[in-house]
Amino acid sequence: MGKPKAIFRTDAIECRTVQLHTKTGLALLYDELSSNTYDVRLKLTKEHLIIQKQDVVCVSGTESHLNHRTVVLRRQASGGLGLSIKGGAEHKVPVVISKIFKDQVGNQAAKLFIGDAVLQVNGINVEKCTHEEVVHLLRTAGQEVTIAVRYLREAPAFLKLPLDSPGPSSDQSSRASSPLFDSGLHLNGNSSNTAPSSPSSPSTNEPKYEKRWLDAVSLPLFMARISRGKAGGHKSRSNSFEVVALDGVCTHALQFCTAGESTDWLQAISTNINQLTQESIKTVDKYCSPDDQIVHMGWVCEQTPDTDTEPHRHVTPSSKFLALRGSALLIFRTPPVLESDWAQAEATFHLCEVLFKVQKLWLSEDCWFESRDQSDSSLFSFNVLLGHGRSRCFSVNLRSELLRWEKAFQRAVFTQVHRDRSRSYMCSSGGKILNFSVDFDSGFCCSDSITKQTIWKYKFSQLKGSSDDGKTRVKLLFQNSDSKQIEMKELEFSNLTAVLHCIHSFIAAKVATVDPVFINNHSLTQKYI
């Protein structure tokens, strides 16, 4: 059986800037329990993603029973009942009206709709009947057939495929065993020889029905997250994603025809989530001191190796909320909504002692290309390198998000360097306990930890190279400003990685002060885009 395709239409208000707030379109909603897909309409506003499901509503007259309709059909001499059905109990799906022929009795009744589940035929309950049993009842029901129906808001999409959709086999017996098998010709005869009859005039008190899209789920986008990965795996769903609200309400998997359509919706929803986040940041920052401002925050997916032997083959993705605030990088399991939540971070790191590194996907001939495996959930990934050689790997859904995090880390680190101005670390050299400092204005300085007497001092521009053993020792090569000779200083630190990251942060901030364009030119994400 071929994979069903979604019917998709987009009517969007789009701008060249990030002011995309509204968007509507059709998609498919995947139910993991039944493994079926359902037609839905998505409606995106600035603050909500609304999922609408189609239903039949009474627009006038007296409705006898909610969503249950009883329709009397008079069989035509030519054309039969003028409808087709699919499904059956043997397929664990209801019998559904899949086609209503134009100008025939099923259409003239104006009470039947494609997607109606057949509940009764002449008073006989058929909800647990097979396809052939329902066909037999309809064919032998006489000239006047009374059908009780109920519109299925979540009718599996394959039950509504066009009549000419291919089945699993051209063999008639095989087709009859498929839920795609359509019984139109069996019920109606040869529809090409039908003659339209005059439509009957409905009574003024008789209820009238229409198909309408009704709101089923309204999901708030504030602090919501988007997930492309399948549960328990590192591969992302093809052309689909789900949106999870702060309170845990989930859209489940939304599927689209093409990667382009999926990306359009992903970009639009992400833009609105980010805008709401930025508004929240501005509100919080109004009541914070300049040293405690939020630079950026948002959801990411952390890739955690399951084993130490194959760290790149087996990963367990988990959602984490990152925040760059004040002097710290904070990692949360859930977003900090209240001020008291900020003390609940699972991990906190000083910004000057971490290093942000974008993962290169595929490097060839000095050109950075996108990975060809579109199902890889770590497509847009970055590492946060921490002290003692540790690192944590995170991924986002879009290039624009990756660029946003790269710029945010740069800005947060540079801001903190300017606030700190200087950082000091205890170290040892030649059996002596020393104090090593990195100063934004003066450069590097090493002094005796007891007497505080300066032993040596160099500017940033005098650092010509370095090497380390990856554990505790580092060799710094400085050029003497007078003799122009290279002088080596060997130091030992308890947390060498944090010291090296701090040196990197101060030098990058110093370069950015002198030449801001240099930093932009060395943005890997910017080059990628």
Side-chain angles (χ1 to χ4, degrees), residues 117-297:
V118 180
L119 306 178
Q120 294 181 358
V121 176
N122 283 351
I124 301 174
N125 189 297
V126 298
E127 293 182 81
K128 296 183 180 180
C129 292
T130 65
H131 184 92
E132 289 299 325
E133 289 172 340
V134 178
V135 170
H136 177 73
L137 283 174
L138 290 173
R139 292 181 65 189
T140 60
Q143 293 300 309
E144 187 173 277
V145 184
T146 301
I147 303 178
V149 297
R150 173 174 56 88
Y151 187 79
L152 291 184
R153 300 182 72 186
E154 297 181 351
F158 64 80
L159 291 179
K160 299 181 183 180
L161 289 176
L163 292 180
D164 57 355
S165 297
S169 172
S170 59
D171 179 70
Q172 187 67 22
S173 61
S174 298
R175 291 182 67 248
S177 65
S178 167
L180 287 176
F181 175 61
D182 193 288
S183 298
L185 297 180
H186 290 263
L187 295 175
N188 305 316
N190 189 348
S191 61
S192 62
N193 295 324
T194 60
S197 59
S198 301
S200 57
S201 300
S203 170
T204 55
N205 293 326
E206 192 173 343
K208 296 181 181 179
Y209 299 90
E210 288 183 2
K211 268 187 181 181
R212 291 185 179 177
W213 289 103
L214 304 178
D215 292 355
V217 177
S218 182
L219 191 144
L221 295 180
F222 174 70
M223 296 293 185
R225 62 181 174 88
I226 301 176
S227 173
R228 299 182 69 181
K230 295 180 180 178
H234 69 287
K235 295 294 184 181
S236 63
R237 304 180 182 95
S238 177
N239 302 340
S240 66
F241 57 84
E242 65 182 23
V243 184
V244 184
L246 180 62
D247 59 3
V249 175
C250 179
T251 61
H252 299 294
L254 299 171
Q255 295 183 345
F256 303 88
C257 282
T258 66
E261 291 167 349
S262 175
T263 302
D264 286 345
W265 274 98
L266 190 66
Q267 182 71 62
I269 297 172
S270 297
T271 297
N272 286 11
I273 291 175
N274 181 64
Q275 287 185 341
L276 292 174
T277 302
Q278 295 305 314
E279 291 175 5
S280 176
I281 291 175
K282 291 179 181 178
T283 301
V284 173
D285 284 350
K286 287 181 180 178
Y287 304 96
C288 295
S289 66
D291 293 343
D292 201 28
Q293 300 283 300
I294 302 173
V295 176
H296 188 62
M297 61 183 183

Side-chain angles (χ1 to χ4, degrees), residues 365-424:
E365 297 179 358
D366 297 327
C367 294
W368 193 17
F369 298 98
E370 180 176 333
S371 170
R372 293 184 178 182
D373 184 6
Q374 294 293 335
S375 63
D376 188 357
S377 63
S378 61
L379 186 61
F380 306 112
S381 301
F382 60 89
N383 286 337
V384 177
L385 307 181
L386 309 170
H388 297 290
R390 297 170 299 158
S391 68
R392 299 181 71 162
C393 179
F394 304 99
S395 64
V396 291
N397 295 308
L398 298 164
R399 298 185 186 96
S400 56
E401 290 183 90
L402 185 60
L403 177 62
R404 193 178 297 125
W405 275 109
E406 184 180 30
K407 294 295 184 184
F409 262 92
Q410 286 181 357
R411 187 157 62 95
V413 170
F414 293 170
T415 301
Q416 187 56 37
V417 168
H418 282 276
R419 280 198 293 256
D420 286 347
R421 306 304 292 184
S422 179
R423 289 191 65 81
S424 299

Side-chain angles (χ1 to χ4, degrees), residues 470-485:
K471 297 178 181 178
T472 60
R473 296 181 180 180
V474 62
K475 294 179 181 180
L476 301 176
L477 305 178
F478 298 100
Q479 185 180 51
N480 187 292
S481 57
D482 297 325
S483 65
K484 307 301 180 183
Q485 297 296 312

